[in-house]
Amino acid sequence: QVQVVESGGNLVQAGGSLTLSCTVSGLTFGNYAMGWFRQATGEDRKAVSCIYWDGTRPDYTDSVKGRFTISRDNRKKVLYLQMNNLVIEDAATYYCAVGSYRYCSGSSADPVRNWGQGTQVTVSS
């Protein structure tokens, strides 16, 4: 059984930093692209960032470029999202996603084969 578990969500002030983690079990982590999505209240879930199976070719949606960094540790089976200089618009539930393939579709891990349950990021002014 595949399990995808995010952690690290929290309340942070605008301008602050936060690191999200995602631990995966039940599959060969290194075989799949991994990504982060987010969903703000009242909005659709959107892709934030994606990284290839081997840790190369990180890509980001325009609004987070230069502020967020995605990385992965295939030995530990963990995906990370380092978020710096957070703004109010970054507030959302962040979801970890296991892609169906080794490669990303731009900043997206679509099609997604497994989702995490989400972790809440709140940004205060």
Side-chain angles (χ1 to χ4, degrees), residues 4 9 17 19 24 30 33 38 61 70-71 78 81 89 91 99 111 116 119 122:
V4 182
S17 298
T19 299
V24 180
R38 67 186 181 187
T61 192
I70 190 171
S71 62
V78 181
L81 186 67
E89 291 75 21
T119 187
T122 304

Side-chain angles (χ1 to χ4, degrees), residues 46-67:
K46 299 175 183 177
V48 174
S49 181
C50 187
I51 190 166
Y52 278 31
W53 63 283
D54 59 355
T56 63
R57 303 279 296 271
D59 201 357
Y60 305 91
T61 192
D62 286 346
S63 62
V64 308
K65 282 181 180 177
R67 301 188 297 119

Side-chain angles (χ1 to χ4, degrees), residues 10-86:
N10 211 332
L11 169 64
V12 62
Q13 282 193 325
S17 298
L18 208 56
T19 299
L20 305 183
S21 299
C22 170
T23 301
V24 180
S25 61
L27 53 71
T28 305
F29 182 77
N31 281 357
Y32 302 99
M34 292 292 300
W36 290 98
F37 289 73
R38 67 186 181 187
Q39 186 169 18
T41 303
E43 297 186 11
D44 293 335
R45 191 174 300 187
K46 299 175 183 177
V48 174
S49 181
C50 187
I51 190 166
Y52 278 31
W53 63 283
D54 59 355
T56 63
R57 303 279 296 271
D59 201 357
Y60 305 91
T61 192
D62 286 346
S63 62
V64 308
K65 282 181 180 177
R67 301 188 297 119
F68 288 14
T69 302
I70 190 171
S71 62
R72 63 190 293 164
D73 186 328
N74 283 355
R75 286 192 307 168
K76 295 181 179 179
K77 299 185 177 183
V78 181
L79 176 74
Y80 303 98
L81 186 67
Q82 172 68 43
M83 305 186 294
N84 297 327
N85 194 20
L86 284 159

